[in-house]
Amino acid sequence: MMGRIIDGKAIAAELREELRREVGELRSRHGLVPGLAVVLVGEDPASQVYVRGKERACAEVGVASFGHHLPESTTTGELLDLIGRLACDPAVHGILVQLPLPAGIDEAQVLLAIPPGKDADGFHPLNVGQLATGSPTFRPCTPWGVMHLLRKAGVDPKGKEAVVLGRSNIVGKPVAMMLLAAHATVTIVHSRTADLAAQVRRGDIVVAAVGRPRLVRGDWLKRGAVVIDVGINRLADGKLCGDVHFEEALPVVEAITPVPGGVGPMTIAMLVKNTVEGAKRQSGLVGPV
Ligand code: NDP
């Protein structure tokens, strides 16, 4: 028996369609057009692709996007000035600074300067703290996308063993928080974990976010596990693959996300959702989050 493939592309498209309808209503009933400022510094080709995808998703849903593409030579001070202006701009409900920033820029200082109420990526320490203490406002997009995929695949983490590979601030740690909030028993593994395979084998739910092509082999997985593969790795032949060996995993698992077409499209859809929710909060129209 082969596992199900969780179609992130279709689930993300469905969410964008829901958001498009909601944004239409916000505009017609309240004259509100949610707006996202997208700040890109430098010429990193992968970042340029991500930023284009984000701007395209905004356009599809009817969210205004304000692109600020700055040269590599931009200083921390100049970037902070721009963020200060965007913070005061009533048309901007979400501010996204595409990471990674060029080496000369103080990333931590930049993330702190984004007002928590406009922090569409959910990386400000206040939003991180609210997630950790159980009252999230802006949630980080990739982990939130992972949780949305699990829900749409009919997987309830309650009481299950969840194993998260990776402990980064943008994926591993926050997705572990969200799984914990959803009542899973959570294990986080990383590069210093002893016997990775044995840990992963415990997982009813496995979320892989390490950035190592096909690290997780089929015989590392429990039969019937649900696998969400966050990894995006480019192989020598130019093709993309995940952190999980998809072909080996498929006959073992109950369900798995492909790469590409799994978590990637969800991340962008969640960013648009964050912007819409932010616009509602800032306008006093607080809806279901
Ligand atoms: P980071 O490089 O910040 O973190 C990687 C984590 O994996 C670290 O905690 C590291 O451990 C751990 N790790 C690395 N190698 C191993 C190994 N051999 N065994 C066990 N653990 C290991 O990556 P990110 O969290 O930013 O991203 C992870 C992956 O997800 C990447 O492929 C990235 O491209 C992708 N990604 C995809 C997104 C999407 O939208 N689909 C969004 C964001 C990221 P340690 O802490 O010990 O160093």
Side-chain angles (χ1 to χ4, degrees), residues 16 51-63 265 268-269 272:
R16 289 198 305 275
V51 160
R52 266 202 300 278
K54 290 167 185 180
E55 291 175 338
R56 202 181 311 124
C58 284
E60 181 189 330
V61 168
V63 165
I268 297 184
V272 179

Side-chain angles (χ1 to χ4, degrees), residues 62-220:
V63 165
S65 71
F66 308 101
H68 294 269
H69 299 184
L70 309 177
E72 187 90 21
S73 58
T74 303
T75 63
T76 304
E78 286 163 347
L79 188 51
L80 293 177
D81 282 349
L82 171 62
I83 291 171
R85 288 198 300 279
L86 296 172
C88 304
D89 184 341
V92 171
H93 304 100
I95 301 172
L96 170 112
V97 177
Q98 183 65 41
L99 302 179
L101 288 166
I105 295 183
D106 183 341
E107 189 171 298
Q109 207 185 338
V110 168
L111 294 183
L112 264 180
I114 297 172
K118 292 192 177 186
D119 174 31
D121 250 343
F123 293 157
H124 189 285
L126 184 74
N127 285 316
V128 176
Q130 286 182 330
L131 175 66
T133 51
S135 51
T137 35
F138 280 112
R139 295 164 173 84
C141 303
T142 300
W144 199 15
V146 169
M147 298 308 287
H148 189 85
L149 286 175
L150 287 174
R151 198 169 57 250
K152 287 287 168 181
V155 180
D156 180 0
K158 189 169 159 185
K160 301 221 165 70
E161 290 271 353
V163 178
V164 176
L165 291 98
R167 55 173 164 179
S168 73
N169 289 333
I170 64 167
V171 193
K173 276 187 224 164
V175 86
M177 290 291 175
M178 289 180 191
L179 286 162
L180 189 60
H183 310 299
T185 302
V186 182
T187 304
I188 307 175
V189 300
H190 47 78
S191 69
R192 319 298 156 85
T193 298
D195 202 348
L196 210 54
Q199 295 293 341
V200 174
R201 229 171 258 130
R202 294 176 28 211
D204 303 307
I205 296 171
V206 174
V207 179
V210 290
R212 298 280 179 269
R214 298 174 178 151
L215 175 77
V216 179
R217 309 300 303 253
D219 64 359
W220 291 24

